[in-house]
Amino acid sequence: MERKPPSSLGDFLAVIRRRKYWMIVPAVTIIALAILLAPLVPRNYQSTTTAMLEPQKVPAAYVRPVTTSDMMNRIQRIKLEVLSGPELGRIIDNLDLYPGLRKKAKMSQVIAAMSKDITIATVPDSSDGHGGVNAFTLSYVGRTPYEAQLVTKEILDLFINENLKEGHQQAQGTAAF
């Protein structure tokens, strides 16, 4: 008996009727596995904030700029200071972050894990025509939405405080000169 390929709609429906279990069983199995494994997938929540950097508003003809460094360099310096150990360690302790990792690892390893969950990116300013930096985004990936928001806020507060401290030190240096 010679086999001929299905050529009409009726032939295709007959093939589907004969092989219906070959299609139903794998589909049901895949759906059941997806439903059973979904709770095991870790949930991560990301909180992002954007901070604007305001340059000096008083014209340089009246008052010399206190900050002489480029905004990009300033962000990088503050980033290094903020993401160093002590400040992140304080946030980890205060907010009880990474409890499982803290039990079995040193604090330096926990801080390194937290640093991986933090993303800081500069936002170029297209309005000045030079492509300078006038803002940066700060993101943190956490276990819960509330945790992600709280940690992002704490890190941004560290950035603001470090920026104020650096500006104050530069102003004192300028006044002393």
Side-chain angles (χ1 to χ4, degrees), residues 4-16 18:
K4 64 177 183 135
S7 59
S8 69
L9 183 59
D11 290 343
F12 281 110
L13 292 176
V15 169
I16 290 173
R18 284 194 310 264

Side-chain angles (χ1 to χ4, degrees), residues 76-93:
Q76 292 303 323
R77 275 196 320 275
I78 294 172
K79 177 181 175 182
L80 288 173
E81 186 69 32
V82 167
L83 296 184
S84 67
E87 296 298 332
L88 290 185
R90 185 186 56 77
I91 292 174
I92 289 169
D93 287 337

Side-chain angles (χ1 to χ4, degrees), residues 100-112:
L101 185 59
R102 283 188 2 214
K103 289 178 185 174
K104 59 185 176 183
K106 295 180 182 178
M107 185 55 105
S108 61
Q109 293 170 324
V110 178
I111 290 171

Side-chain angles (χ1 to χ4, degrees), residues 3-175:
R3 288 189 146 196
K4 64 177 183 135
S7 59
S8 69
L9 183 59
D11 290 343
F12 281 110
L13 292 176
V15 169
I16 290 173
R17 267 187 250 121
R18 284 194 310 264
R19 307 280 188 233
K20 63 183 166 192
Y21 294 111
W22 286 64
M23 291 179 262
I24 293 173
V25 170
V28 169
T29 304
I30 290 171
I31 291 171
L33 281 173
I35 290 171
L36 291 174
L37 295 177
L40 300 177
V41 175
R43 293 189 179 139
N44 293 326
Y45 299 91
Q46 181 175 353
S47 176
T48 302
T49 187
T50 301
M52 298 289 295
L53 302 171
E54 298 259 343
Q56 178 176 318
K57 293 192 183 233
V58 179
Y62 298 118
V63 176
R64 290 187 155 218
V66 175
T67 59
T68 57
S69 64
D70 179 40
M71 289 289 198
M72 180 83 127
N73 292 336
R74 190 172 187 152
I75 291 172
Q76 292 303 323
R77 275 196 320 275
I78 294 172
K79 177 181 175 182
L80 288 173
E81 186 69 32
V82 167
L83 296 184
S84 67
E87 296 298 332
L88 290 185
R90 185 186 56 77
I91 292 174
I92 289 169
D93 287 337
N94 289 347
L95 301 179
D96 193 28
L97 303 174
Y98 307 97
L101 185 59
R102 283 188 2 214
K103 289 178 185 174
K104 59 185 176 183
K106 295 180 182 178
M107 185 55 105
S108 61
Q109 293 170 324
V110 178
I111 290 171
M114 183 177 186
S115 295
K116 290 179 184 175
D117 291 338
I118 298 170
T119 306
I120 299 170
T122 56
V123 178
D125 182 14
S126 59
S127 66
D128 68 354
H130 301 298
V133 174
N134 73 339
F136 66 94
T137 59
L138 169 69
S139 299
Y140 176 75
V141 177
R143 295 176 295 166
T144 66
Y146 178 72
E147 175 187 286
Q149 284 183 328
L150 197 56
V151 172
T152 303
K153 179 195 168 300
E154 290 289 323
I155 295 171
L156 184 62
D157 287 345
L158 289 176
F159 262 87
I160 291 169
N161 291 337
E162 189 63 33
N163 185 39
L164 290 174
K165 185 170 83 174
E166 186 176 299
H168 182 68
Q169 288 172 348
Q170 287 181 350
Q172 283 182 335
T174 303

